[in-house]
Amino acid sequence: MRMYDIIMKKRNGGELTKEEIDFFIQDYTAGNIPDYQVSALMMAIYFQKMTEQETLALTMAMAKSGDMLDLSAIKGIKVDKHSTGGVGDKTSLALTPMVAACGIPVAKMSGRGLGHTGGTIDKLESFPGFTTGIPVSQFIENVNTVGISIMGQTADLAPADKKLYALRDVTATVDNMSLIASSIMSKKLAAGADAIVLDVKTGSGAFMKAEEDAFALAKEMVKIGNNAGRKTIAVVTDMDQPLGYAVGNALEVKEAIATLRGEGPADFTEICMTLGTQMLLAGEKAKTEDEARNMLSEAIASGKALDKLAEFVKAQGGNPDAVYDCELLPKASVIEAVAAPVSGYIQHIVCDEIGICSLILGGGRENKESVIDLSVGLVLEKKVGDYVKAGEPLAYIHGNDPEKIAVATKRFLDAYTFCEKPFEKKAFIKGIIL
């Protein structure tokens, strides 16, 4: 088999076989196929697209290019959750204790953030002493005893995807639905869950800006998961403004804790309830959506979900007292209000700009070597559709550097647009793909 023939076949619109895709992935991962040939194939795929069978074959080949995590030692149906990411997306921090308190074993691999805010692991490290650097044996034991464990992604998880994505990033071939979907799903399948619930975000703060593109990606990933024998569900959600009110690592942890107390923002609470409902249905803990929502509501009202977070934090070396006393979490030295420049209704927020404000303050990474300041970020007071008077606070900026605060404040104000008349707010949950 020759890479030249595979490139030509795809260039001419042919359908690649599973054997051809396996060959190209295995040999590229091993370093036997040069980047320039794979670049040519990626460009051919970009223009000629991939069939459903090709996309599944590519996903499985990438998933099997490294370690396939064996979670068979964990009792029950393992349900994983994945978000395509956005501003203020702290969903895993509240959602996983909620579903674990309902009896769904949560065995999750997460990453660090590269961009405007930290990833799930960075946020969890707001708890003093917390670590995700645990061996797989402890990871599995914690899930069986505590009901939840989160560890960092291993270097051997879908290594083909890491190589391919880096190449696509510099050859203008990222924006292809089959390649995006297979990249995400290869890691999810390698992580060993029995069922997968996807949170696919759309809007100015999401990877998929257009709603139709988000639905197309959701459908593609659901097809891949189901074809791979994993029950897969996608929920398409709004990311035209930050999720909840807090943006920044420790600030997002505090908001997640408030949500587990039943005091969280309406949009964030709703996404946790919607995703949690689908996880309980996929994990066969509930038979109807109403039953699932009632179970989740009871887990919050009884305090079981909050206690589960504390138990999880303690099991991974963190201080569980911080779950009940947020004063123990990192705090910025300066908190400054950002005043509204005019009176009116907030018409639009350029969502990713709010994320960049957090990055400017030190809450994200410019590159892999950047050190995150866990204490900084923003807490919004007003969001889209809200009325504000001139001089009222739009948000509070938490920072440790006056110069960075000044830059972030100007950028924050530039992200807001106001209008004189009220208008109907858009639906937050756009749809569910089964």
Side-chain angles (χ1 to χ4, degrees), residues 283-409:
E284 299 178 6
K285 285 291 177 182
K287 293 181 179 179
T288 67
E289 289 193 2
D290 285 346
E291 183 186 357
R293 289 183 80 94
N294 287 337
M295 289 174 69
L296 293 164
S297 296
E298 194 278 331
I300 291 173
S302 66
K304 290 178 184 175
L306 188 67
D307 290 343
K308 185 59 68 177
L309 176 63
E311 194 181 354
F312 156 57
V313 167
K314 183 180 180 181
Q316 294 193 208
N319 180 3
D321 293 342
V323 173
Y324 304 104
D325 181 4
C326 288
E327 289 298 306
L328 298 174
L329 295 169
K331 290 185 292 185
S333 58
V334 178
I335 302 174
E336 284 192 6
V338 182
V342 296
S343 296
Y345 293 90
I346 297 166
Q347 184 177 30
H348 181 62
I349 300 173
V350 184
C351 186
D352 51 4
E353 283 294 298
I354 306 303
I356 291 170
C357 290
S358 178
L359 175 65
I360 289 167
L361 293 166
R365 286 187 180 85
E366 295 275 9
N367 53 59
K368 290 180 180 178
E369 285 70 45
S370 299
V371 177
I372 282 184
D373 184 342
L374 296 171
S375 69
V376 303
L378 311 92
V379 178
L380 308 188
E381 289 292 307
K382 303 287 184 178
K383 294 176 69 175
V384 172
D386 292 340
Y387 182 79
V388 62
K389 292 181 180 178
E392 270 191 311
L394 281 176
Y396 288 92
I397 290 185
H398 296 240
N400 294 310
D401 183 324
E403 289 184 14
K404 290 178 179 179
I405 291 172
V407 174
T409 299

Side-chain angles (χ1 to χ4, degrees), residues 121-174:
I121 288 177
D122 298 300
K123 292 167 190 175
L124 284 168
E125 287 177 351
S126 297
F127 292 105
F130 186 94
T131 180
T132 53
I134 57 176
V136 173
S137 57
Q138 186 185 339
F139 175 68
I140 290 172
E141 183 183 347
N142 284 4
V143 178
N144 278 329
T145 55
V146 177
I148 175 173
S149 187
I150 296 178
M151 67 181 290
Q153 290 178 353
T154 68
D156 292 328
L157 193 76
D161 174 61
K162 292 184 180 70
K163 287 192 72 173
L164 264 188
Y165 190 88
L167 192 65
R168 287 165 53 215
D169 196 33
V170 295
T171 56
T173 53
V174 168

Side-chain angles (χ1 to χ4, degrees), residues 79-81 91 94-96 98-100 102 104 195-198 231 233-235 269-298 300 429 432 434:
V79 185
D80 197 0
K81 166 260 170 191
T91 309
L95 175 63
T96 53
M98 286 166 60
V99 298
C102 294
I104 292 285
I196 302 164
V197 174
L198 302 160
K231 174 70 174 173
I233 301 162
V235 181
T269 299
E270 180 54 32
I271 195 171
C272 290
M273 293 297 287
T274 301
L275 293 169
T277 293
Q278 296 305 321
M279 291 178 77
L280 263 60
L281 291 171
E284 299 178 6
K285 285 291 177 182
K287 293 181 179 179
T288 67
E289 289 193 2
D290 285 346
E291 183 186 357
R293 289 183 80 94
N294 287 337
M295 289 174 69
L296 293 164
S297 296
E298 194 278 331
I300 291 173
I429 306 292
I432 298 174
L434 301 172

Side-chain angles (χ1 to χ4, degrees), residues 64-82:
K64 294 176 180 176
S65 65
D67 292 340
M68 295 283 284
L69 200 60
D70 181 7
L71 301 181
S72 59
I74 296 174
K75 309 175 192 77
I77 299 173
K78 282 74 70 181
V79 185
D80 197 0
K81 166 260 170 191
H82 173 79

